[in-house]
Amino acid sequence: MALIRAYRCRGKITLSAALLVVASAMTMVLNGSSTGLVGIAVFVFLLIMFHRKYKKLPRIFNLLTMTMITGGLFLGIMAFQIQDIFSFLIVGVLGKDLNFTHRTGIWNTAIQLIGEKLLFGYGYLRDSDYASLFNFTVATHPHNYLLYIAMTGGALLIVVWLAGIVKASRTLNENISSIYCKVILFTLCSFLVMGLTESLVSTELLYPMVVLGMKADKISNLPYQDKGVIILGKRIIWGRKG
């Protein structure tokens, strides 16, 4: 939101917005959150690559394809142990073992539990409820976003969530020339990557970002307030009123 405001008010990434990104990254470092570090790294990488307001994105790069890719990666981890390919990153950089610190066992149990209540799921569960279901005191959620959705609301909630993703992806694609829409897309992509190993139960801003994606056509029409004018080849920015 700070980046969107920066582009809205100044037409570029401001120092305060950049410092906020740095502060977010440092927070992840100090907390020792490897998932958070991966998420912020994905966001910053995409921002650096495509931060120019009118730079086009590859056509294949959109919210729906990112959802399919992250879903495919999760299936690959579960079925084919593809995490072995990235052992240098998982073990050497993130400090995790190749079963993602017992996550694969939790995922297998979650899949079995989902099969028992496939249509509507289990509804809202507290940490202690998850620990009881998993018979594992530290398993306070399924440690995967898609499994969390399936356990909470079953196939019905998965369909509703996918409908929101498809709607947001379509609207973002139609307005992706706007830097506002790029920032929203990069944020949602970061959430999806983090959701591979976390349920994102404390990430309340995920759903508002999906809604912003659905309303990308309205957001993309917001003008840059300080466009300025070109005089003798130089861009002059007028001071804002009020």
Side-chain angles (χ1 to χ4, degrees), residues 5-236:
R5 183 179 184 276
Y7 279 108
R8 165 81 167 139
C9 296
R10 293 286 180 253
K12 62 180 181 180
I13 299 177
T14 61
L15 178 61
S16 60
L19 288 175
L20 186 57
V21 173
V22 173
S24 300
M26 292 305 299
T27 300
M28 297 302 104
V29 172
L30 293 173
N31 284 340
S33 172
S34 55
T35 303
L37 279 174
V38 170
I40 199 75
V42 169
F43 181 81
V44 171
F45 172 76
L46 292 173
L47 191 65
I48 291 172
M49 291 293 294
F50 303 104
H51 70 281
R52 294 183 180 179
K53 293 197 291 290
Y54 303 108
K55 187 170 184 179
K56 293 184 178 180
L57 294 174
R59 292 188 62 182
I60 195 173
F61 180 57
N62 57 63
L63 183 58
L64 187 57
T65 56
M66 279 300 297
T67 303
M68 295 170 64
I69 288 170
T70 52
L73 281 173
F74 178 67
L75 291 176
I77 292 170
M78 291 296 295
F80 304 108
Q81 303 293 308
I82 64 171
Q83 66 267 33
D84 294 343
I85 301 173
F86 305 101
S87 60
F88 71 95
L89 175 64
I90 297 169
V91 178
V93 178
L94 300 179
K96 301 289 185 181
D97 52 38
L98 291 181
N99 69 355
F100 294 97
T101 315
H102 307 296
R103 279 171 170 77
T104 52
I106 295 172
W107 294 339
N108 286 323
T109 303
I111 291 171
Q112 294 173 9
L113 291 169
I114 290 166
E116 297 175 6
K117 294 193 176 183
L118 185 60
L119 187 57
F120 298 111
Y122 292 81
Y124 173 75
L125 296 173
R126 296 170 298 179
D127 292 354
S128 57
D129 297 325
Y130 280 112
S132 177
L133 283 169
F134 288 117
N135 195 28
F136 192 17
T137 55
V138 298
T140 55
H141 53 76
H143 284 283
N144 175 269
Y145 182 58
L146 289 177
L147 294 181
Y148 174 68
I149 294 175
M151 283 199 69
T152 303
L156 181 62
L157 185 56
I158 288 286
V159 170
V160 172
W161 177 77
L162 282 175
I165 290 293
V166 170
K167 169 64 175 174
S169 181
R170 183 184 300 119
T171 311
L172 284 169
N173 287 348
E174 293 171 353
N175 302 275
I176 202 59
S177 59
S178 165
I179 187 61
Y180 305 138
C181 297
K182 289 180 185 177
V183 171
I184 294 169
L185 174 61
F186 299 162
T187 305
L188 288 170
C189 288
S190 298
F191 278 128
L192 288 173
V193 172
M194 289 190 292
L196 281 169
T197 57
E198 289 296 338
S199 296
L200 306 179
V201 294
S202 300
T203 314
E204 291 84 359
L205 288 178
L206 171 56
Y207 294 104
M209 293 307 297
V210 174
V211 174
L212 288 179
M214 294 178 180
K215 298 296 182 180
D217 53 337
K218 305 292 192 302
I219 297 170
S220 65
N221 290 326
L222 292 174
Y224 302 122
Q225 292 183 355
D226 289 339
K227 279 186 173 180
V229 294
I230 304 297
I231 300 178
L232 298 177
K234 294 184 178 180
R235 183 168 178 263
I236 306 299

